[in-house]
Every structure is written in structure tokens, then in C-alpha cells.
Amino acid sequence: MGAGRVAIVGGSIAGCAAALAMTRAGAGEVVVFERATGRLHDRGIGLAVHKDRYAELEAAGYTDADMPWVRLTRRTWITREGGGHAGRVLGAVPFPFRSYAWGPLWNALRARMPESVAYVQGAAVERVVPGPDAAVLRFADGREERFDLVIGADGYRSVVRAATRTPAAPGYAGYLAWRGAVPGELLPGPRTAWPEGEAATVTFPGGHMIAYRIPGPRGAGISANWVFYTAPPPSAAAALKDPTSLPPGAVTEELTAHHAGIVDRHFPPYWQDFVRATPRASTAVQPLYDLAVPHYGQGRLVLVGDAASVARPHMGGGAVKALQDVVVLERSLRSAGSWQEGVRAYDAERSPSGRAVVDLARRLGHAQVEATPDWPAMDERTVETWWREVSDGERGFGGHALDRAAR
């Protein structure tokens, strides 16, 4: 490790954390190659971390209380039928999570990277060529670089995964996630309509929307993150089967109208106002995919985060999954006598965990989108019973504990 060169393809949350892990593990040189050229710290997408998983990551040195966050305490399910301005609460369960905004969390992890790490933006890796003693990166500009280990942190369309001996492509789940963020000053009133600490789930036939507060831009103030799940209109479905996304500004009028129509028909007035307060420029659409790779590491290639397994967001552990990957990778390489030994140990621990996460997310998606219950007929007791069954008693919801993730 001391004389080794490590390349990390992808410089988002998983990539920054992987760079920190590799320097701690003793790599001689670490280089991060990020395709994007823009300002990553401005991204406002929300994410949540279960408090128990946070404690593990804090103990491992990857998170701390200085990273801007918002406390969440319970999750409610809401229907328009039989309710007033903010709808009728069907039931609630404990929701012990910390919410973050993607940009401030990325910025905090980026700041932790030692100055010795080279972070190169605008570097498009087009191909990875593995070999027995090294792996070669080929860039869009024609140059090549050789590394002792290449870590794929390049998301669900990973070029590093494509270079493994068992490449796999994500499979389309059949529905979409509309995402948006409402600035704190645009949140509708009254404040009592949406209590502090609540992750509100607005239900409708064939889907739901979950909303929760997150830190505002650059970690200052408060914004609100929402994710709306349902199937697209049939005329739009065919174009979404290959891995893709529609970032802000690229969402079609057809998808915008489909989303707005469901909000108009099924949302309580408060939540209609909430969605309409979202700036159009901050609304994106994410088709959902599933992928569980057979191996997280092979030879000189390692996968972390969504490059390794793609799980639907319902299980509340996407960021946790990526950060746990790098914690285990650091530990595996620290204790190994060779690159190969470290990669094998990492693969053995994380591959089963990745499959378990994808399986749970599929089950949660089926219950909350593909085969929704008769939401208005539910009450506190039936919500609690239903949630316990579909979440498998919340085992793995928010991410498995590190000491039993591979079981």
C-alpha cells in the first residue's frame, strides 16, 4: 500500500469517502477523477441516515456532529379523504433519522480529504482495462494511466463495473421518483400543518410522496426535500428502461403534467401548495433501477456505493450503504498482506450485504408503489402492523449494522 497508486473513478459522496479511506489505509498516492465540472456543493437533494448507523459511521471517523443535519423523529402516513387542510393522519411509526442535504454533506467529506489527494474534475474515464498486476484507465482525451487499484464510485452507470469479469446492468423497476426541494421561506403555512421532526408520507393509489426537512443551501437554514413515487404514463415508459435520469431542466412536459395531475386529484390542500412551491428548476425525475452485483471486488477492481448495488430509495440507506462500503474497504486493506487479499476480504463482507439491501428495497417498493393498500381504510393499528410486515420488523431499514451486515 505504501508505494501503491489508487484511482477513484467518481468524486461524489462515495468517491470522497473512498479517498479518505485509502489514505487512512496507507496508499502511497490517491487520485480522484470526477467527470463533472460544475459546483457539486450546491446540490440540494436530501438524504437520511438512521441514528444507529450514524453512530457507527461517526465512530469510524466518517461523520460528525458538525455536518449540518436535521433531527427526524416519526413518520406519518396521510390521506386526503376525510381530512382537512393538511389531510388525515392514518398512522405513525418512530423514525429516528438524521436528515442531510447532499451538497453540504459532500462538502464536509471533500474537506476531510488530505491535501495529498489529487481531486481532478472534468476527467471522463471512458474505459477501464484490468490486468493481473495493475489496471489502466483510458480517458476521453486519449491518455492512459496505470494504477495498482481502481475503485468504482461512479454510480449506477459505472464504467468500472463494466470492466469486471461479471458485468451487470441495472434493471428498470417500472416506476419513477420525482424529486424536489422547497426553500424554507416558500414553505406554506401554517407551521402546525406539518410538525417539526416529521417525515410526512402523502398517499394515493399507486404510490406516495415522502417529505422531510433538510439543511438549507450551504448548510444554513432549512429546506424541505420531497420524493414522489409512481409509474409513468405508458407513452413515456419505453424511454426509461435503459439507465438514465432527467436532471433539473430536463423533465418533460408529459411527466410534469402526469405528476401535477396526481397532486391535484389526491393531495390535501396543504400538500398541493407544498409541491407547487417547489421551483421548477429544482425538480428532477429519477427512474428507479435494481442491481445487486455478484462481486464487490475482483482482482484490481473494487466497487462502492451505487456502482456496486443499486437499491430503490425506500429503505432509507443509500448514503449509509456507500459509507459502510468504504469503512469495510479501509479495514480490509489495512489488515491485508496484499492487494488481492484485501479485495477478497472486502468482497466477502460486502457482497451479501448489497444483495440484502436490494431485496429489502424491492419489497418496500412493491408494498408502497406497485401494490399499494387501500390507504384511506387504514388506521393507527393497521399502519403499524402493515409497516412491521413489509419492513421485516425494520431489520435492515436504514441500513444493516456493520457488525452483522454480511449475515
Side-chain angles (χ1 to χ4, degrees), residues 116-320:
S116 61
V117 175
Y119 189 97
V120 184
Q121 285 195 259
V125 177
E126 291 202 333
R127 189 180 176 197
V128 180
V129 183
D133 301 317
V136 175
L137 300 187
R138 293 180 178 171
F139 295 85
D141 61 7
R143 64 190 175 92
E144 296 184 350
E145 286 199 48
R146 174 187 172 98
F147 294 89
D148 295 287
L149 184 72
V150 172
I151 299 173
D154 49 342
Y156 68 106
R157 290 183 287 191
S158 172
V159 297
V160 181
R161 183 178 64 239
T164 62
R165 293 190 297 273
T166 52
Y172 177 48
Y175 59 95
L176 314 181
W178 280 257
R179 291 181 174 271
V182 184
E185 65 273 15
L186 297 182
L187 288 174
R191 293 179 63 88
T192 54
W194 183 24
E196 300 286 340
E198 183 176 292
T201 309
V202 184
T203 64
F204 58 89
H208 68 280
M209 181 189 80
I210 184 168
Y212 52 88
R213 293 174 176 85
I214 60 173
R218 309 292 179 90
I222 293 293
S223 294
N225 175 78
W226 58 264
V227 192
F228 174 105
Y229 300 98
T230 199
S235 56
L240 304 167
K241 292 183 178 180
D242 292 329
T244 188
S245 62
L246 299 173
V251 180
T252 66
E253 290 296 331
E254 181 182 23
L255 291 177
T256 298
H258 183 65
H259 173 239
I262 293 174
V263 170
D264 290 345
R265 289 192 302 274
H266 297 293
F267 277 34
Y270 174 87
W271 294 104
Q272 291 181 6
D273 293 341
F274 172 87
V275 172
R276 292 166 185 159
T278 309
R280 181 77 177 267
S282 70
T283 304
V285 169
Q286 173 191 4
L288 299 184
Y289 303 94
D290 297 309
L291 173 66
V293 297
H295 295 287
Y296 269 51
Q298 294 178 347
R300 300 284 175 153
L301 305 182
V302 163
L303 304 174
V304 299
D306 285 349
S309 62
V310 181
R312 307 179 199 184
H314 310 293
M315 53 81 61
V320 166

Side-chain angles (χ1 to χ4, degrees), residues 286-375:
Q286 173 191 4
L288 299 184
Y289 303 94
D290 297 309
L291 173 66
V293 297
H295 295 287
Y296 269 51
Q298 294 178 347
R300 300 284 175 153
L301 305 182
V302 163
L303 304 174
V304 299
D306 285 349
S309 62
V310 181
R312 307 179 199 184
H314 310 293
M315 53 81 61
V320 166
K321 174 170 62 72
L323 293 173
Q324 286 184 333
D325 287 347
V326 300
V327 169
V328 174
L329 181 59
E330 176 191 346
R331 184 175 69 222
S332 300
L333 290 173
R334 274 180 181 269
S335 59
S338 66
W339 293 105
Q340 293 86 344
E341 180 185 341
V343 170
R344 285 195 298 268
Y346 171 71
D347 175 51
E349 182 167 347
R350 291 308 288 169
S351 294
S353 176
R355 289 191 289 271
V357 165
V358 172
D359 288 344
L360 175 59
R362 281 177 176 151
R363 183 164 64 232
L364 291 169
H366 180 76
Q368 297 182 93
V369 182
E370 297 171 295
T372 52
D374 181 3
W375 298 113

